[in-house]
Amino acid sequence: MHIKRSLAVIIGSLSGLTLMAASFGIYQGYCTWVFNNGNQVSDTIDKANIIIPDWSFDGEITNDGFYDDFKKPLTNEDSLGHKINFKIDYFKNGDDKVQDSTIYIKNASVNPNDSVFTDFSKVIFPAYYAETIDGIRYVHPISQIGKSFTFDNVCNNTEIEIPSTVTTIASKAFKDVTLKGVSYSTANNISSIESYAFAYTSLTSFTFGPKMSSFGDSAFRGSSLETVNFLDVENLASIDNYPFFECTSLTDVNINNSTIGTIKQSAFTSCTALKNINITNNSKITTIDYQAFKSFSSLNTLNILNSTVQTIYNAAFYNCSGLQKVDMTGSTINKINYNSFIYCEAMTMVDFTNATIGTIDTYAFFGCSKANVNFTNTKINTINYLAFGECDISGTVDLRESDIQLISSYAFAYQKNTSSLTFLLSSSIPDKCIGYAFATGCRNKASAVLYGYNSGQAKKHYGTGWYSGINVSYKA
């Protein structure tokens, strides 16, 4: 829709008219309201003279050239009079010169050719290109930016703005460019970021939108990223191919309301400053892969809040010596695999409040010698051998309403606690499913209360070895 003339406006008061005019910056004087077609309304409004501009809400492509997301002619000109000339190319060697066929921006240059002294604060990339062939005007949406060192001469020390038509940032498009930021004209529809597309740039943050689906090798390698955000991503199969390799300034990874398959071992290799991982707001992760964050000494917090992770794989956070807190409040975790958090010796809290956990596997948190665990309102199926061995759990661990089906032998053995530890258990645990000496070796600080059985019934259902090394009482 293209509005060129306003024929009638009804406003309840002169003050309302003046306020509207001032907010648009078009208040002119007194007496009459003048439309840009020359018509006047002088009988209904007194002491006001407002010129209504030629507003365009949805542009119309009438000439050849480049256009923005709103189909308005696009010109990038800096304060020194330099202009950017974009060059396009076709995906099918020109055979796709038909209406609405997509094309890509091949490269760009500055006119006059004096790029050393350019002063662009922002470079806006075009959404459409129009051309006339044999008397017919063809309009092409632009779906891709770049191919191999494309914009290093025009985008240094600038922000770039990407239109909604663009779905691919091609290989090396902005490699080595001193970018100040990336924004979007309307929607962020980027689905593919190819190899080295933003490698060694000065970007400090980047947001992946709903359509993001694939990374090329080393897409952001060696860049200055401090924060990456996955926002409302609908179906990203995996974070892999070393996209953030050697991003040594990266501190925060935020995954918000997103669906991601696997965070692979190669996802954040050599991100030596990574401090916080936040998976929040109904995000869904299939797998945090084998050794994905192994020995990340700078990692401080892992938050998986009100989200779903199918599997935290073997040694995913092995020996993260600086990891202090793991918070899984309100989340659903199918399996925390063996050795997942083994020897995270700085960890002080694992919070499972209101979480649903399938299996906490063998040695999952073994050797987290300062860690307490909060099981408030937790639903949990299985706690395997030495899953919490040599931790520092104290206080009350109430598993009566947890639907626990198996507590394996030595599951909570050898706590380092200096204060008491009490387990509250229920007879709803299946027969023979409280393992031998499940909490032995806790410096005589551990005890258990079994509800629903007396001593004789407990012996019948669980034997006697389960309470080896702890004090036990019964409340039938």
Side-chain angles (χ1 to χ4, degrees):
M1 180 179 66
H2 181 68
I3 298 178
K4 291 196 173 188
R5 295 177 175 83
S6 298
L7 298 180
V9 177
I10 300 174
I11 296 182
S13 68
L14 178 60
S15 61
L17 174 63
T18 304
L19 177 61
M20 183 192 78
S23 67
F24 284 109
I26 57 175
Y27 181 72
Q28 297 293 316
Y30 294 95
C31 295
T32 57
W33 188 348
V34 181
F35 294 92
N36 66 349
N37 61 359
N39 295 332
Q40 296 183 358
V41 180
S42 57
D43 295 335
T44 56
I45 298 178
D46 190 24
K47 294 184 179 179
N49 179 9
I50 306 296
I51 298 176
I52 303 301
D54 188 4
W55 283 322
S56 295
F57 295 99
D58 219 352
E60 181 180 347
I61 294 176
T62 57
N63 295 294
D64 290 356
F66 291 101
Y67 290 80
D68 66 12
D69 240 338
F70 305 98
K71 296 185 177 179
K72 294 182 179 180
L74 177 64
T75 300
N76 285 278
E77 184 173 355
D78 71 2
S79 60
L80 303 175
H82 299 109
K83 296 182 180 180
I84 293 179
N85 299 320
F86 292 104
K87 295 181 181 179
I88 61 97
D89 207 345
Y90 304 88
F91 288 107
K92 298 179 181 179
N93 298 319
D95 294 334
D96 53 349
K97 290 183 181 180
V98 296
Q99 194 67 258
D100 294 328
S101 62
T102 59
I103 59 175
Y104 68 93
I105 297 293
K106 184 177 182 179
N107 56 39
S109 60
V110 174
N111 183 26
N113 188 16
D114 188 16
S115 60
V116 175
F117 301 103
T118 57
D119 187 34
F120 294 100
S121 59
K122 178 190 284 189
V123 175
I124 302 173
F125 280 82
Y128 302 94
Y129 175 69
E131 61 179 347
T132 300
I133 302 174
D134 296 331
I136 300 174
R137 179 167 292 113
Y138 297 97
V139 178
H140 306 285
I142 294 168
S143 64
Q144 177 175 303
I145 293 176
K147 246 181 190 181
S148 300
F149 300 96
T150 313
F151 304 104
D152 56 330
N153 63 329
V154 297
C155 292
N156 272 320
N157 299 308
T158 68
E159 176 187 345
I160 60 171
E161 183 176 294
I162 299 173
S164 61
T165 58
V166 171
T167 59
T168 300
I169 308 297
S171 175
K172 300 180 182 178
F174 297 99
K175 184 176 181 286
D176 294 312
V177 178
T178 311
L179 289 177
K180 290 185 176 180
V182 176
S183 61
Y184 301 90
S185 302
T186 53
N188 177 357
N189 288 327
I190 302 299
S191 62
S192 177
I193 298 178
E194 295 183 351
S195 59
Y196 290 85
F198 290 98
Y200 305 108
T201 66
S202 57
L203 282 175
T204 58
S205 68
F206 196 91
T207 297
F208 303 95
K211 306 301 181 183
M212 185 63 193
S213 62
S214 66
F215 288 101
D217 179 52
S218 299
F220 291 83
R221 179 174 183 157
S223 70
S224 299
L225 284 173
E226 297 172 5
T227 304
V228 293
N229 304 301
F230 295 84
L231 179 61
D232 301 326
V233 175
E234 295 170 351
N235 192 18
L236 175 59
S238 62
I239 304 176
D240 62 351
N241 291 326
Y242 299 90
F244 306 105
F245 184 64
E246 293 182 342
C247 291
T248 56
S249 298
L250 182 61
T251 59
D252 293 87
V253 175
N254 302 309
I255 300 173
N256 186 299
N257 190 35
S258 293
T259 299
I260 297 173
T262 301
I263 300 176
K264 290 197 172 183
Q265 183 182 5
S266 61
F268 296 96
T269 302
S270 299
C271 294
T272 54
L274 186 60
K275 186 175 181 180
N276 304 302
I277 300 171
N278 301 302
I279 302 171
T280 60
N281 194 21
N282 200 34
S283 290
K284 297 175 179 63
I285 310 294
T286 302
T287 303
I288 299 177
D289 207 4
Y290 171 71
Q291 295 186 352
F293 298 94
K294 177 186 175 183
S295 300
F296 275 48
S297 60
S298 61
L299 189 62
N300 182 267
T301 59
L302 170 65
N303 295 316
I304 304 174
L305 306 177
N306 302 305
S307 294
T308 299
V309 176
Q310 287 297 313
T311 304
I312 299 175
Y313 224 76
N314 309 346
F317 296 89
Y318 175 92
N319 192 33
C320 289
S321 58
L323 183 58
Q324 296 184 26
K325 184 175 182 181
V326 174
D327 191 346
M328 299 184 181
T329 298
S331 290
T332 299
I333 314 293
N334 183 53
K335 188 173 185 180
I336 301 174
N337 223 323
Y338 67 87
N339 292 349
S340 291
F341 294 91
I342 192 170
Y343 299 130
C344 294
E345 295 180 347
M347 189 183 298
T348 58
M349 175 56 70
V350 180
D351 197 341
F352 293 123
T353 300
N354 296 321
T356 300
I357 311 294
T359 298
I360 302 176
D361 210 353
T362 303
Y363 295 111
F365 292 90
F366 183 84
C368 298
S369 57
K370 299 178 182 178
N372 206 344
V373 182
N374 186 350
F375 287 100
T376 302
N377 296 324
T378 303
K379 298 294 183 182
I380 188 167
N381 185 282
T382 300
I383 302 175
N384 272 338
Y385 177 78
L386 283 172
F388 293 98
E390 295 190 13
C391 291
D392 191 24
I393 303 173
S394 60
T396 300
V397 175
D398 189 348
L399 299 175
R400 289 175 294 174
E401 303 296 329
S402 68
D403 300 331
I404 187 82
Q405 298 297 298
L406 174 64
I407 304 175
S408 291
S409 299
Y410 299 95
F412 292 91
Y414 311 119
Q415 297 302 304
K416 303 296 184 181
N417 51 302
T418 56
S419 55
S420 63
L421 169 61
T422 302
F423 293 91
L424 305 182
L425 306 175
S426 167
S427 59
S428 62
I429 300 173
D431 289 1
K432 300 181 181 180
C433 286
I434 305 178
Y436 177 80
F438 84 96
T440 193
C442 296
R443 303 184 182 186
N444 297 318
K445 299 286 186 178
S447 62
V449 181
L450 179 60
Y451 289 78
Y453 287 149
N454 58 33
S455 175
Q457 292 170 321
K459 182 177 180 180
K460 177 181 176 180
H461 289 280
Y462 304 123
T464 58
W466 67 276
Y467 56 80
S468 177
I470 63 173
N471 299 313
V472 64
S473 59
Y474 305 91
K475 291 191 176 182

